[in-house]
Amino acid sequence: MSLINSVPEMVITTKLDEVLNWTRKSSVWYMLFGLACCAIELMQTGGPRADLERFGAAPRATPRQSDMMIIAGTLTLKMALRTKVLYDQMPDPKYVISMGSCSNCGGLFQLAYSVCDGVDKVIPVDVYVPGCPPRPEALTEGLLKLQEKMMQERWLVKGSAAQAVA
């Protein structure tokens, strides 16, 4: 029996990290978390014209099934505690996109006593989308930047070797 006849017609070789990252970036489920006027643009981005689902992003209403949280709008100090609880309920790996000037740095409400000076004071943020409110194209670009970041992650490297790469 020859080796040539036993090899399948199509063979794909790749690294396991690349397969894991490709599947992870191609099925990002984001938690619906609209806080203010940026939520309208978030809804528009999920609609038929911008269509986030063509990039593998699907909306979820629960943190336990979400990979990503898109914070859209003004984060008040009262809501910051609830945001941290929801973030902690998400399974690992988890990602955060901060959408709009208000969630990035407090926006035009930053001098108010009740407004948080940015979502990064409460939870770690992976991608910032600027604007007031940002257009659906900007949020789509933010999702693509997050997917690029996901493709660079290393999962199978042990301890100090993973830290040396990052």
Side-chain angles (χ1 to χ4, degrees), residues 30-43:
Y30 63 94
M31 189 170 75
L32 298 172
F33 200 68
L35 298 173
C37 47
C38 284
I40 303 299
E41 296 297 322
L42 174 60
M43 290 179 232

Side-chain angles (χ1 to χ4, degrees), residues 94-108:
K94 48 192 163 187
Y95 308 97
V96 176
I97 292 180
S98 176
M99 176 183 175
S101 297
C102 291
S103 64
N104 290 345
C105 64
L108 65 133

